Amino acid sequence: FYGGVTILGGATLNINSEWQLGGANQGPVTFNYGTLQYSNTLYNAAVDISAQPVTFTGNAAIDVNGHAITYANPIGNNGSGALTVKSTAANGILTLQGGGAYAGGTTITNATLLVNNTSGSGTGSGNVIVNNGGTLGGTGMIAGSVTWQSGSLGLFTEGSPLAIAGSVNLHSNTITVYVPGSLPLGTGSYTLMT
């Protein structure tokens, strides 16, 4: 795949590391209504495909399959497609550290998406939908609106809020704040989202 790979409509490309895409010689990855799925067992820790352009010509699905995967660079490459983040196996996490450059929106299904970008919008210019079983969190920025459907979760860090430029719709979800460790929250105001 040194010249790059295109994942077309309905197809699923299953990889156990970036090496299956060429490793240090990896070419661009283009999604045109296809799915990239990480294998049940990873070969090594080289799983970040964002070192080369990742383009959403059509819609893209990334199945982290129970793994914690981090993309350090922007994804989307100014494409018009949407991103679906999912996990076939439980506890899958995709962390986006770069600003996303795609217009089609983001959907999270049975996975956690952590938006930890420091510039731009981690999820492109579109809206974000968190479906039942999905979790959205992080300390970065989202340009569009966010809708948490019934049964979805938010994961936030006090002192490092997730910034959302658009509207927030909780769909009558109950908001529960979990405090790790033995330190209770004191009386006061806590900003988890801005």
Side-chain angles (χ1 to χ4, degrees):
F1 296 124
Y2 298 137
V5 61
T6 299
I7 308 170
L8 297 173
T12 297
L13 177 63
N14 185 284
I15 64 170
N16 64 16
S17 80
E18 174 195 14
W19 291 13
Q20 288 188 301
L21 300 175
N25 299 312
Q26 172 198 331
V29 177
T30 301
F31 288 87
N32 196 357
Y33 299 95
T35 299
L36 176 73
Q37 181 184 53
Y38 288 90
S39 297
N40 292 335
T41 303
L42 298 178
Y43 178 71
N44 59 29
V47 293
D48 182 356
I49 64 167
S50 71
Q52 295 293 324
V54 177
T55 304
F56 298 164
T57 300
N59 294 345
I62 297 174
D63 183 348
V64 293
N65 204 10
H67 302 291
I69 306 292
T70 298
Y71 292 168
N73 301 294
I75 59 173
N77 200 21
N78 298 312
S80 60
L83 171 63
T84 297
V85 179
K86 60 185 181 177
S87 185
T88 300
N91 304 316
I93 302 169
L94 178 63
T95 300
L96 300 178
Q97 294 180 332
Y102 57 96
T106 304
T107 302
I108 306 159
T109 303
N110 294 326
T112 296
L113 175 63
L114 299 178
V115 179
N116 289 340
N117 59 307
T118 56
S119 65
S121 170
T123 55
S125 59
N127 296 329
V128 177
I129 298 173
V130 189
N131 285 329
N132 181 15
T135 301
L136 172 65
T139 58
M141 296 161 278
I142 294 175
S145 296
V146 176
T147 299
W148 273 275
Q149 301 286 5
S150 179
S152 62
L153 300 171
L155 182 62
F156 306 107
T157 302
E158 196 278 318
S160 299
L162 177 65
I164 299 172
S167 62
V168 173
N169 186 335
L170 299 176
H171 270 284
S172 301
N173 278 336
T174 301
I175 298 174
T176 304
V177 177
Y178 295 98
V179 182
S182 61
L183 296 175
L185 284 176
T187 303
S189 174
Y190 298 92
T191 303
L192 304 175
M193 250 185 315
T194 60

